[in-house]
Amino acid sequence: GAPTGNSAPAWRPPPRRPRRPPARPGASKVDDRDAYVAAARACAERLYLGDEVAHRSCGIALAVTFGLRHEPYQSLRRGGLLGLGPCGALQAGVLVLGELLGDPDPAGPPTPALREAVGRYRAELEASAGGSFDASCNERTAAFPQFASRPRLEHCATLAGAAAAGIAGVLHDLGRSVPIAVVPAERPVV
């Protein structure tokens, strides 16, 4: 029958995109772990530095590196836009893993693969990125009096690269690697 004023159609989640991003022209997927991790690190650092391509914020650099939509990652820039939140690159890593390994059912629990991946990723970044995983952007960049300086940019590019390497290592170890983006240069390198 016809719906009454008090009834609404049952809510259904929107269709979910494929679990793994489809292979893209120019993307590389490497079987060798060290080469795969190095490719991810190099891509994220290149996107963040902005020497050959337009600068991407830390979270966006990671999303693009792993072939994901960049829009939600913009809010991670500078530790949640205000510098008060945790490093956007390190937090983006957790979100990338969630997108690639999370349960497609919004009411579902975290998958065992996601739990394992996040634990491994956090442990690796605690060891390689220096400081607490949850240290704020402002804490991580306090040594740079000028935020808009080349030394601070290089410091944060290193963090974005470490996050990309951590994600790639975990994905590879779990047998869930995805293609790493190959972004062509937009301007000549001098």
Side-chain angles (χ1 to χ4, degrees), residues 9-136:
W11 179 84
R12 294 196 197 300
R16 183 152 168 111
R17 61 186 167 75
R19 301 289 306 156
R20 292 182 182 208
R24 301 169 313 283
S28 65
K29 184 173 179 180
V30 182
D31 291 327
D32 176 76
R33 185 186 195 280
D34 291 340
Y36 183 66
V37 168
R41 179 187 303 275
C43 183
E45 288 178 353
R46 183 168 174 251
L47 290 167
Y48 190 84
L49 282 172
D51 293 335
E52 300 172 39
V53 298
H55 164 74
R56 271 54 163 215
S57 68
C58 51
I60 290 174
L62 293 185
V64 171
T65 295
F66 292 95
L68 301 170
R69 289 188 49 221
H70 68 273
E71 294 88 345
Y73 293 82
Q74 190 172 42
S75 63
L76 298 174
R77 176 187 294 258
R78 190 140 191 227
L81 303 177
L82 304 175
L84 305 174
C87 170
L90 304 188
Q91 293 302 309
V94 174
L95 295 178
V96 166
L97 291 170
E99 285 202 63
L100 297 174
L101 303 174
D103 190 326
D105 178 356
T111 65
L114 178 59
R115 284 187 189 279
E116 181 179 352
V118 169
R120 285 181 174 198
Y121 171 75
R122 286 183 63 100
E124 177 154 338
L125 270 289
E126 285 275 350
S128 68
S132 165
F133 184 88
D134 297 314
S136 75

